[in-house]
Amino acid sequence: MKVGIIGGGQLGRMLALAGYPLGLEFRVLEPKPAASAGDVAEHVRGDYDDPEALDAFANGLDVVTYEFENVPRTSADRLAGRVPVYPPPDALDVAQDRLVEKRFFRERGIPTAPFEPVGSRDELDAALEQLGTPAVLKTRRFGYDGKGQVILRSAADADGAWEELGGRPLILEGFVAFQRELSILSVRGRHGAVRTYPLVHNVHHEGILVRSRAPAPGVDADLQALAEDYARRVLEKLDYVGVLAIELFEHEGRLLANEMAPRVHNSGHWSIEGAETSQFENHVRAVAGLPLGTTRPVGVSVMHNLIGTVPSLEAMLAVEGAHVHLYAKSARPGRKLGHVTVRAADGTTALDRAEELADLLA
Ligand code: AMP
């Protein structure tokens, strides 16, 4: 069986690495000559919206999936005319637009931060009146890793925020003074089976994920069940196949959905060593129509992203329980170049080891 992946970054690389032991083959579509996944998969060079490249890519594939949510809908539809595409292209429509996404959550009964659409300077004033401050103004589309968003501390910040982001479709969100950020990763198979990973605790710096701990500490069965219920509502509405990540704010005992990613997710990288079946293997299993694997955690894991620079390999590997994953990408400030997961039988040991690792990264 040959699996096509739209996008040739580290997620594609780790999907292929997880699929090889199952005897699957991989091909990626990636315009850049240097593709992280190109080391481990056949690399078709072409733009994501080039019909000829899409057709050449699809030739001989059994199934197509993707590793980023900004795949053009028309491209997904073109491919779907020839080969099954999972997750379903409808998931792209939801994940590509923050306004559609928040409405979609609300329609499923999943709470979110309060929000208002903003299409003009007047609408920004009206939305600020409605939501008050602090608030977060975001572009509806193409925002990632904290890009395309501005925090408004008071109404006086409106001019500056408009100057920075105005002219594009926007959304204003009430600022959530959350206790912490969590994510729930779940996977649904082609025949509707669903499995969910334990809630993960995520720490961001300047909008970029720096560290995840799984399972998140202090999560009782009710909170886990609530997150699983929210995930299931999304999966079922979209007749979803593959891994889905939902980022959540924990706020006064509630879970507010911030955004979803219809793909494997950085907050699930810990699962390579920290769960019986990784998110990558489960995504591959799902899209290939294979039985899903158990998502049970194995001990406690802490994952650190390697952002911008990579410390010495020797030093990282000298940390007991450390597992290093380098993505073969050239260094650039703010770029995710790899990750390291430390795993231990108990939380205290995992945290001690994570601190040792954090010292190397500081
Ligand atoms: P996003 O691009 O929506 O994932 O936002 C990036 C990060 O900004 C999140 O992980 C949060 O730390 C923060 N953030 C986004 N939206 C809000 C909000 N409405 N209230 C508070 N913090 C937010």
Side-chain angles (χ1 to χ4, degrees), residues 98 102 113-114 135-136 138 143-147 149 151 173-178 181 204 206-208 247 249 258-259:
R98 292 182 189 280
K102 289 231 154 50
V136 191
K138 302 179 179 179
Y144 70 97
D145 282 352
K147 292 184 178 67
Q149 54 182 280
I151 296 179
E173 296 177 13
F175 185 88
V176 181
F178 51 76
E181 293 189 82
H204 294 84
E206 291 172 354
I208 303 182
E247 294 183 39
F249 298 141
N258 180 39
E259 61 180 1

Side-chain angles (χ1 to χ4, degrees), residues 269-280:
H269 290 3
W270 64 274
S271 65
I272 298 175
E273 291 86 14
E276 216 160 298
T277 316
S278 77
Q279 64 161 345
F280 300 102

Side-chain angles (χ1 to χ4, degrees), residues 180-248:
R180 56 180 179 169
E181 293 189 82
L182 301 171
S183 59
I184 189 82
L185 275 84
S186 49
V187 56
R188 185 167 181 271
R190 277 209 204 177
H191 307 293
V194 172
R195 305 238 186 182
T196 308
Y197 290 90
L199 276 162
V200 181
H201 176 207
N202 301 312
V203 178
H204 294 84
H205 179 66
E206 291 172 354
I208 303 182
L209 181 70
V210 290
R211 178 172 164 146
S212 295
R213 178 176 171 184
V219 170
D220 62 22
D222 286 348
L223 198 69
Q224 178 71 26
L226 186 64
E228 288 188 14
D229 177 39
Y230 291 166
R232 196 177 276 273
R233 292 183 208 181
V234 173
L235 293 171
E236 277 164 13
K237 177 66 186 174
L238 292 169
D239 197 14
Y240 196 91
V241 175
V243 166
L244 170 87
I246 305 179
E247 294 183 39
L248 303 156

Side-chain angles (χ1 to χ4, degrees), residues 80-98:
R82 299 186 50 169
V83 59
V85 175
Y86 300 120
D90 281 352
L92 295 171
D93 291 339
V94 178
Q96 285 176 0
D97 184 325
R98 292 182 189 280

Side-chain angles (χ1 to χ4, degrees), residues 257-342:
N258 180 39
E259 61 180 1
M260 63 176 239
R263 55 171 170 80
V264 287
H265 193 254
N266 197 170
S267 71
H269 290 3
W270 64 274
S271 65
I272 298 175
E273 291 86 14
E276 216 160 298
T277 316
S278 77
Q279 64 161 345
F280 300 102
E281 181 175 337
N282 258 335
H283 184 79
V284 167
R285 288 194 194 200
V287 303
L290 297 167
L292 303 180
T294 169
T295 48
R296 192 170 35 235
V298 182
V300 177
S301 299
V302 179
M303 188 245 22
H304 284 269
N305 272 335
L306 303 177
I307 301 166
T309 56
V310 176
S312 123
L313 183 60
E314 285 75 10
M316 291 190 287
L317 292 176
V319 176
E320 187 76 16
H323 300 271
V324 175
H325 299 259
L326 301 177
Y327 306 152
K329 288 161 68 178
S330 52
R332 207 191 297 144
R335 198 172 196 208
K336 291 173 182 170
L337 303 174
H339 75 268
V340 188
T341 300
V342 288

